[in-house]
C-alpha cells in the first residue's frame, strides 16, 4: 500500500520540512525584504537601491567597459540601467555566449495613483491634487488611507529633485476622503465599480491660507510656498514630474504567528527582490546569468522602459560584443538558447472568496514557488504556454535542491486571467515559464505574501541559476 501511495503527488506546506534553523533563515530573509519594500515603493527607487547594493557586490556599470573598450571575462559582473526605471544585471559565464543565458525576470512597477500634469487646485479653501490611477485598481480601496508621495520633479535646467513625503513618522501624510455613512444613501446603492470613481481620487494636501487676504486661492498658494521652500519647485514644474501616490508607512509582519508579510507593491517586487538576491548570492557560473527588472508591466509592457522596448536586446548585443567577437548571429543564438523564469505574482487561494478559484489548480500560501505553465484567459487566450520538456527539467532541479513548488492557474477557466512579460521573451524562441510568489489582495494598497513562499522563491532562483 505504501508503494501505491508514493505514486501520488501531494503538495505539502514548506513549514513542515523546516528545522528550527530553517525557520530562522525564513524570518531573516523576510526581515530584509520588509526593509527593502518599505523603502522602495517606485520603480526608480528599486533601480537605485539595486544598483547601490550591486556595486557593493562588485557589479559595474556596463558603460565603463563600453567607453574604455575593455572586454568582459568569466566572473565579471555588469549592470545596465534604462532611464533609471529598468535594470539588467549580468554575471558573465565561462561558456561561449551562444550557449544561451539563464534569465530571471520580474517587474518593479506597481499599481498606484499618478499625479496629473496640472494636479494642484483649491476647492472650498482646501488644496488638492488630481490623480490618474496607474494599472488595475479597485478605486474604493484607496480612500481614507494614509498616503505618501514618491517621485521626481525635473526642473527646466535638468536638475532632478527627489521627493518622498509621508514616510518619516514625524512628517505629515496625505489622503483621499470618502463620504460619511450618514450621508451615503445614494452612494451605497451604486455598484462597487461606481461607488468611488477615477475623478474622485483627489488627494488632500492643505488647509492653511497665505497671509494676503486679497489673493485668490490662498490655500493653494501656501502649498506652493511650502513646496518652493522645501524643494525649490513651482507649479509649472509639475508638468515635468513623475510623482506617484502610494500607501504610506512600513511593511509589516502579518498574522499572530508572523508567518506572512503585509506590504505595498509586492506585485511584483517580491519576485524582483528574490530574483535579484539569488543573483547576488551566485558567485560564478557556466552560462551567463541575467536578472532583468522591468517597468510598465502593469500598463501593458509598452514604452521605452517596458519589456517590449529594445533595451534588453540592445544590452545583450553590447554584452556579446564585450565578451566575444561580435556577430548578430551570436546575439540571436544566445537569446534563442536561453532559459528563463519570468516571475510575477499569482493569486493565492483565499477561503473568503472560494467561488472564483478551482481548488485543485490554485496556489496556496506556504506551498512554495508557483509555476504557471500558462496564463491567459478563457481558452488560454494570449498565453505563453511553457513546454513540458522545460517543466520536467525544472521539476528535476527543484527536487534536487529540496525546493517547495506548486502549480496554479489564476482562477476558474471562465472567470478571468492575466498575463505578464513571458510571451515577449518567448518571441526569441527561448524556453520561458511564468513563475512567482502567490498573494492575497493583489493590486490592493496592502498585499499579503507568505514568508515561506518568499524563502522558497529565493531557493528556486538560486537552484535555477546553478543548475539550468
Ligand atoms: Mn505583476
Ligand atoms: Mn499586477
Amino acid at each position: 500500500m505504501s508503494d501505491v501511495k508514493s505514486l501520488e503527488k501531494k503538495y505539502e506546506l514548506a513549514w513542515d520540512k523546516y528545522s528550527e534553523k530553517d525557520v530562522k533563515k525564513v524570518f531573516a530573509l523576510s526581515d530584509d525584504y520588509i526593509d527593502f519594500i518599505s523603502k522602495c515603493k517606485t520603480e526608480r527607487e528599486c533601480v537605485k537601491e539595486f544598483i547601490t547594493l550591486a556595486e557593493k557586490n562588485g557589479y559595474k556599470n556596463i558603460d565603463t567597459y563600453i567607453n574604455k573598450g575593455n572586454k568582459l571575462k568569466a566572473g565579471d559582473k555588469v549592470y545596465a540601467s534604462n532611464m533609471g526605471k529598468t535594470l539588467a544585471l549580468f554575471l558573465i559565464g565561462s561558456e561561449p555566449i551562444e550557449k544561451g543565458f539563464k534569465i530571471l525576470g520580474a517587474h518593479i512597477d506597481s499599481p498606484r495613483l499618478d499625479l496629473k500634469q496640472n494636479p494642484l487646485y483649491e476647492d472650498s479653501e482646501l488644496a488638492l491634487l488630481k490623480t490618474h490611477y496607474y494599472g488595475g485598481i479597485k478605486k474604493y480601496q484607496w480612500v481614507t488611507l494614509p498616503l505618501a508621495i514618491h517621485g521626481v520633479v525635473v526642473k527646466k535646467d535638468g536638475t532632478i529633485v527627489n521627493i518622498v513625503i509621508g514616510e518619516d513618522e514625524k512628517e505629515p501624510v496625505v489622503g483621499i476622503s470618502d463620504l460619511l455613512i450618514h450621508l451615503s444613501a445614494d452612494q451605497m446603492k451604486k455598484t462597487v465599480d461606481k461607488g468611488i470613481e477615477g475623478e474622485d481620487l483627489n488627494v488632500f494636501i492643505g488647509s492653511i491660507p497665505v497671509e494676503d487676504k486679497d489673493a485668490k486661492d490662498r490655500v493653494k498658494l501656501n502649498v506652493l510656498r511650502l513646496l518652493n521652500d522645501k524643494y525649490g519647485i513651482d507649479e509649472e514644474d509639475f508638468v515635468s514630474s513623475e510623482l506617484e501616490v502610494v500607501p504610506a508607512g512600513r511593511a509589516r509582519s502579518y498574522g499572530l504567528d508572523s508567518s506572512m508579510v503585509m506590504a505595498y507593491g509586492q506585485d511584483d517586487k517580491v519576485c524582483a527582490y528574490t530574483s535579484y538576491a539569488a543573483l547576488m548570492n551566485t558567485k560564478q557560473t557556466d552560462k551567463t546569468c541575467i536578472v532583468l527588472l522591468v517597468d510598465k508591466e502593469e500598463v501593458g509592457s509598452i514604452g521605452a522602459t517596458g519589456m517590449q522596448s529594445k533595451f534588453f536586446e540592445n544590452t545583450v548585443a553590447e554584452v556579446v560584443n564585450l565578451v566575444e567577437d561580435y556577430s548578430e548571429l551570436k546575439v540571436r543564438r544566445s537569446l534563442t538558447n536561453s532559459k528563463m523564469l519570468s516571475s510575477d505574482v499569482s493569486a493565492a487561494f483565499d477561503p473568503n472568496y472560494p467561488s472564483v478559484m478551482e481548488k485543485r489548480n490554485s496556489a496556496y500560501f506556504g506551498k512554495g514557488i508557483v509555476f504557471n505553465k500558462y496564463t491567459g484567459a478563457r481558452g488560454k487566450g494570449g498565453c505563453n504556454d511553457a513546454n513540458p520538456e522545460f517543466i520536467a527539467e525544472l521539476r528535476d532541479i527543484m527536487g534536487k535542491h529540496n525546493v517547495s513548488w506548486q502549480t496554479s492557474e489564476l482562477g476558474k477557466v471562465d472567470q478571468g486571467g492575466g498575463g505578464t512579460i513571458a510571451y515577449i521573451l518567448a518571441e526569441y524562441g527561448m524556453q520561458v515559464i511564468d513563475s512567482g510568489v502567490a498573494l492575497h489582495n493583489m493590486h490592493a494598497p496592502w498585499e499579503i505574501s507568505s514568508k515561506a513562499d518568499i524563502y522558497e522563491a529565493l531557493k528556486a532562483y538560486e537552484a535555477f541559476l546553478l543548475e539550468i
Side-chain angles (χ1 to χ4, degrees), residues 143-444:
V143 298
T144 68
L145 283 175
L147 298 174
I149 303 173
H150 290 228
V152 295
V153 177
V154 185
K155 302 212 293 183
K156 271 195 282 194
D157 66 0
T159 316
I160 297 176
V161 184
N162 284 297
I163 290 181
V164 178
I165 299 168
E167 297 294 351
D168 186 335
E169 300 242 317
K170 290 177 201 114
E171 271 190 353
V173 293
V174 293
I176 299 167
S177 60
D178 191 6
L179 200 51
L180 60 167
I181 185 67
H182 317 69
L183 295 178
S184 294
D186 289 344
Q187 188 195 37
M188 297 301 274
K189 286 192 199 108
K190 294 182 185 173
T191 59
V192 173
D193 184 37
K194 297 280 181 207
I196 302 285
E197 299 196 62
E199 294 299 345
D200 299 332
L201 296 174
N202 305 315
V203 181
F204 283 85
I205 56 164
S207 61
I208 297 178
V210 290
E211 303 77 8
D212 180 0
K213 291 208 173 114
D214 300 326
K216 222 180 138 239
D217 291 340
R218 297 166 64 219
V219 178
K220 174 186 160 183
L221 285 177
N222 191 47
V223 165
L224 279 173
R225 180 166 64 189
L226 286 172
L227 289 172
N228 192 258
D229 286 349
K230 186 150 187 200
Y231 302 106
I233 57 175
D234 62 24
E235 190 172 15
E236 192 184 302
D237 289 326
F238 278 117
V239 173
S240 49
S241 71
E242 263 178 16
L243 292 168
E244 306 178 8
V245 179
V246 296
R250 278 180 62 80
R252 309 279 294 266
S253 287
Y254 187 75
L256 296 185
D257 54 7
S258 292
S259 60
M260 297 167 274
V261 173
M262 175 184 246
Y264 163 72
Q266 299 203 68
D267 176 2
D268 181 31
K269 295 179 186 85
V270 66
C271 298
Y273 180 80
T274 42
S275 295
Y276 172 85
L279 183 66
M280 292 302 120
N281 294 346
T282 303
K283 300 303 169 207
Q284 58 189 47
T285 180
D286 44 9
K287 291 186 211 112
T288 293
C289 296
I290 304 177
V291 167
L292 179 60
L293 305 170
V294 296
D295 178 30
K296 294 289 179 283
E297 193 276 343
E298 295 294 355
V299 291
S301 297
I302 32 63
T305 55
M307 189 61 243
Q308 293 192 29
S309 107
K310 291 280 181 283
F311 163 72
F312 179 59
E313 193 181 308
N314 292 347
T315 307
V316 164
E318 294 285 3
V319 168
V320 169
N321 185 49
L322 291 171
V323 173
E324 295 175 14
D325 293 329
Y326 180 83
S327 88
E328 200 198 320
L329 194 57
K330 280 186 187 171
V331 175
R332 291 196 205 181
R333 282 182 181 160
S334 69
L335 288 165
T336 299
N337 292 331
S338 291
K339 291 179 179 170
M340 176 180 194
L341 296 182
S342 170
S343 289
D344 201 354
V345 292
S346 291
F349 186 85
D350 182 344
N352 272 341
Y353 302 95
S355 67
V356 298
M357 304 293 234
E358 193 265 281
K359 274 195 152 176
R360 286 169 194 81
N361 286 282
S362 289
Y364 293 85
F365 272 169
K367 294 196 174 180
I369 185 168
V370 183
F371 292 113
N372 301 88
K373 184 176 188 297
Y374 45 85
T375 55
R378 298 178 192 85
K380 296 167 89 169
C383 72
N384 170 65
D385 205 341
N387 292 311
E389 290 86 347
F390 183 38
I391 300 174
E393 207 181 349
L394 292 172
R395 280 172 54 206
D396 186 44
I397 293 170
M398 297 306 139
K400 267 189 204 155
H401 289 262
N402 194 25
V403 174
S404 299
W405 57 270
Q406 53 185 327
T407 67
S408 88
E409 296 200 8
L410 192 54
K412 278 186 179 166
V413 170
D414 288 332
Q415 194 60 237
T420 176
I421 61 170
Y423 74 97
I424 306 166
L425 277 303
E427 284 178 8
Y428 292 110
M430 68 174 72
Q431 298 279 13
V432 47
I433 186 168
D434 286 289
S435 50
V437 173
L439 300 182
H440 278 176
N441 306 359
M442 194 194 296
H443 284 206

